[in-house]
Amino acid sequence: MAACQTEKEEINFPKTDLSNMPMIPKPLKTIPTGSAFGLDAGTAIYTSTTDPAFEKVGRFLSENIKSKTGLELGVNSSSEAKLERLIYINQSDSVDLETPESYQLYIKKDSILLNAKTAAGAFRGIQTLQQLIPTKSNDTLTDHPLWVIPSGKITDAPKYGYRSSMLDVARHFFTVDEVKKYIDALAYYKFNTLHLHLSDDQGWRIEIKSWPKLTEVGGASEVGGGEGGFYTQEEYKDIVAYAADRHITVVPEIDMPGHTNSASLSYPFLHYAGAETPRVRTDMKVGYSSFDAQKDTVYSFLDDVIGEIAAISPGPYFHIGGDESHVTKKSDYILFVEKVEKIVQKHNKRMVGWDEIAQADIDSKSIVQLWNSADNALKAADNGSKLIVSPAKKAYLDMKYDSISEFGLHWAGYIPVDVGYNWDPETYVEGISKENILGIEAPLWSETISNGTELEYLAFPRIIGYAELGWSPSDHLDWEDYKVRLAAQVPYLEAMQINYYPSKLVDWNKE
Ligand code: TNX
């Protein structure tokens, strides 16, 4: 190293300010030092090799740098070539790294050091680094192009350990590639969970080998009369692995006992006498279908379904839905949730359900997802259950932005970009505090959208705000400051060919 250092040319960087860079989510602490690191072809990436997952993070960074800048940086390559500058991704046991996703980023003239306890922390850290790499190189500082990265120190950690978005692939089916593109963007903004709503009245979207009609019959429809579709288990595993490569956990949901028309259409014995007779449904109604909570065969069926999905879902959670079972007798609903919780636990998963499940006597380890009822959220907290906060009025990506929005619903109100950002999960329900909260989620229901472009219209830019709500401390949340950083996401969104709603509330940094 000493030998290399003497050969290095001195570059006179213009004064930089790391704290003024448009990072989202905003890091916990940023201390600028005014100089810069010049990323160029002479930069090499090295990683700790004690954990192979760190090297993988290094390769991920190298690939992204290549697509952004064209530079091809070696990772842990032993070549003797002149080493000008170094990015080192280091596994560290420092006590300052308090959570698995915490990281420290030290950017100096000659080196960038990224410290993290786990590969997940390192992965979050390289997202910050990627956000700091400018789209355009500076070609005047030296005889070759340099991508100027402001120097300084970033110490960062998430507010919540669960930061999620949900895709409803049931009302309209989305292809594996469409889901992967969404995962890429979630990863860039440090989400760590993708919830997949895999079944509903209009369609069943995951192959179950022991019950093939679920997809043969139940998978062939969607809202509006399209052809539907489903993921084979191989395709689902491919999504799960793609997400895992980005340190994102997939939470599968089979919604029940309501929202089950497509399942009961496939296997009529599941149908509950008080529910509407199953038929192909392409409308947007809710609350008319139900499984029969009194039949043992329903639970043997669910043991198979949950077992098959659990076996290919490495994450700790299984989401049972549980919302809007309007035709299920309350006693049947409660019996059903309590029995299904046992099945989920038998398959070594923790149950998650929409807030209605708090009416049953659930395990304190089960998780309740607040979408609608503050009462249910308080019941859950009383029970010792953690909450995922996703109130429809603030966090539903399928709510229209305003009266002229092209897609979306508005039963919970309009959610302009500032309204989606300007709230605090910790104070949203009186009586619920940080200790009760596992994290937040922004669900995207798909009644009104049927392809990737429309999906992105509703998700972007609002999803970027939920990334910050889930990660950054509450005292960092400031719309005026955020909207400037949001505007600066345009080059990323354009480079990734992500469609977004160009809200008038934001002064977009367009060319
Ligand atoms: C309510 S949110 C639902 C969904 C709909 C959504 C549309 C929830 C748990 N249930 O079935 O798709 O509204 O916004």
Side-chain angles (χ1 to χ4, degrees):
M1 278 299 297
C4 308
Q5 233 125 53
T6 54
E7 291 175 31
K8 227 171 275 174
E9 51 178 331
E10 265 303 313
I11 302 163
N12 280 320
F13 290 107
K15 181 130 180 77
T16 67
D17 183 359
L18 182 63
S19 61
N20 212 13
M21 294 295 285
M23 293 174 274
I24 301 180
K26 190 170 184 136
L28 190 59
K29 231 189 260 165
T30 303
I31 302 168
T33 50
S35 182
F37 177 93
L39 181 74
D40 66 359
T43 307
I45 299 171
Y46 284 87
T47 73
S48 290
T49 48
T50 38
D51 177 354
F54 271 69
E55 183 162 324
K56 211 166 158 185
V57 172
R59 285 201 301 273
F60 193 91
L61 175 64
S62 172
E63 275 160 33
N64 280 340
I65 288 178
K66 187 176 169 198
S67 48
K68 189 162 182 177
T69 64
L71 296 170
E72 295 196 36
L73 309 188
V75 180
N76 295 340
S77 52
S78 52
S79 102
E80 292 295 305
K82 193 174 75 164
L83 222 191
E84 297 270 359
R85 270 169 286 274
L86 180 71
I87 299 173
Y88 191 77
I89 304 174
N90 178 45
Q91 181 165 32
S92 159
D93 287 326
S94 162
V95 288
D96 295 335
L97 297 164
E98 284 176 13
T99 79
E101 293 179 291
S102 299
Y103 68 91
Q104 299 159 330
L105 190 60
Y106 297 89
I107 305 167
K108 297 184 183 166
K109 263 192 147 173
D110 303 321
S111 66
I112 293 177
L113 172 63
L114 172 61
N115 282 326
K117 220 174 229 169
T118 70
F123 189 82
R124 304 303 167 226
I126 65 162
Q127 306 314 315
T128 303
L129 182 52
Q130 285 167 195
Q131 293 192 1
L132 293 171
I133 302 172
T135 317
K136 288 203 182 81
S137 60
N138 185 320
D139 300 347
T140 61
L141 290 168
T142 177
D143 59 357
H144 62 277
L146 282 180
W147 281 261
V148 176
I149 302 175
S151 65
K153 176 182 169 182
I154 291 171
T155 316
D156 205 4
K159 172 154 75 178
Y160 299 121
Y162 192 100
R163 306 175 306 281
S164 175
S165 184
M166 185 203 81
L167 283 185
D168 171 6
V169 297
R171 269 52 175 275
H172 279 99
F173 182 65
F174 294 95
T175 64
V176 171
D177 284 343
E178 285 165 338
V179 175
K180 285 182 175 175
K181 189 179 174 198
Y182 194 57
I183 290 174
D184 282 336
L186 293 180
Y188 187 72
Y189 293 107
K190 301 191 176 73
F191 282 91
N192 65 4
T193 309
L194 172 69
H195 166 187
L196 289 176
H197 183 76
L198 291 165
S199 69
D200 214 303
D201 292 319
Q202 301 88 344
W204 183 283
R205 306 296 179 214
I206 174 102
E207 174 192 22
I208 303 296
K209 294 188 197 278
S210 52
W211 298 91
K213 283 191 190 159
L214 286 169
T215 46
E216 278 167 30
V217 176
S221 47
E222 61 183 11
V223 168
E227 62 185 8
F230 65 91
Y231 307 122
T232 63
Q233 292 199 1
E234 286 309 309
E235 287 169 329
Y236 175 80
K237 284 197 259 181
D238 183 32
I239 293 174
V240 167
Y242 190 84
D245 282 346
R246 286 150 186 79
H247 296 273
I248 289 177
T249 303
V250 170
V251 176
E253 177 187 351
I254 295 298
D255 199 353
M256 53 192 154
H259 290 276
T260 46
N261 172 74
S262 66
S264 295
L265 178 65
S266 310
Y267 292 104
F269 76 90
L270 299 166
H271 169 68
Y272 179 68
E276 280 185 34
T277 306
R279 57 186 166 88
V280 172
R281 297 294 293 245
T282 61
D283 59 279
M284 295 176 12
K285 286 205 198 84
V286 294
Y288 55 80
S289 58
S290 182
F291 282 159
D292 187 338
Q294 301 281 346
K295 265 192 203 151
D296 289 343
T297 45
V298 169
Y299 299 103
S300 339
F301 163 84
L302 289 176
D303 190 22
D304 292 340
V305 169
I306 294 170
E308 285 195 34
I309 297 173
I312 53 175
S313 301
Y317 306 112
F318 187 96
H319 201 306
I320 68 150
D323 57 314
E324 299 174 319
S325 291
H326 300 324
V327 293
T328 323
K329 264 209 311 213
K330 187 155 181 199
S331 56
D332 280 340
Y333 177 82
I334 287 171
L335 172 74
F336 183 86
V337 169
E338 291 170 6
K339 282 190 158 238
V340 172
E341 180 181 63
K342 300 274 174 318
I343 300 174
V344 169
Q345 292 177 341
K346 174 185 152 196
H347 294 289
N348 297 316
K349 300 293 175 195
R350 277 171 80 175
M351 179 174 80
V352 186
W354 297 105
D355 63 50
E356 288 95 325
I357 66 159
Q359 300 168 93
D361 182 15
I362 57 171
D363 194 318
S364 62
K365 285 203 259 338
S366 293
I367 288 148
V368 172
Q369 181 162 7
L370 166 64
W371 69 280
N372 182 40
S373 159
D375 275 357
N376 286 337
L378 291 165
K379 269 197 194 106
D382 258 1
N383 187 56
S385 290
K386 294 271 191 208
L387 290 165
I388 296 166
V389 180
S390 54
K393 290 188 176 109
K394 299 288 183 188
Y396 267 26
L397 292 168
D398 68 313
M399 290 301 115
K400 290 184 173 201
Y401 291 93
D402 49 43
S403 63
I404 55 164
S405 286
E406 211 178 329
F407 303 101
L409 302 170
H410 65 272
W411 65 265
Y414 297 119
I415 307 186
V417 183
D418 57 345
V419 170
Y421 179 83
N422 268 326
W423 63 286
D424 188 343
E426 258 159 74
T427 52
Y428 183 73
V429 176
E430 214 185 305
I432 299 292
S433 60
K434 188 160 186 239
E435 298 73 72
N436 306 119
I437 300 175
L438 182 69
I440 84 163
E441 179 174 290
L444 180 47
W445 302 98
S446 63
E447 285 94 331
T448 66
I449 51 172
S450 56
N451 59 50
T453 310
E454 295 167 4
L455 179 164
E456 288 163 10
Y457 172 96
L458 284 177
F460 296 89
R462 287 181 292 197
I463 189 67
I464 303 173
Y466 301 118
E468 182 146 301
L469 284 179
W471 182 283
S472 307
S474 303
D475 60 7
H476 277 19
L477 305 178
D478 172 35
W479 166 252
E480 292 301 324
D481 173 68
Y482 170 73
K483 75 176 186 192
V484 178
R485 288 180 286 124
L486 178 60
Q489 304 307 305
V490 169
Y492 168 74
L493 296 171
E494 285 182 350
M496 302 308 283
Q497 295 183 296
I498 292 173
N499 182 34
Y500 63 97
Y501 177 69
S503 163
K504 297 244 172 356
L505 299 167
V506 178
D507 188 10
W508 299 100
N509 292 15
K510 287 201 191 140
E511 294 275 283

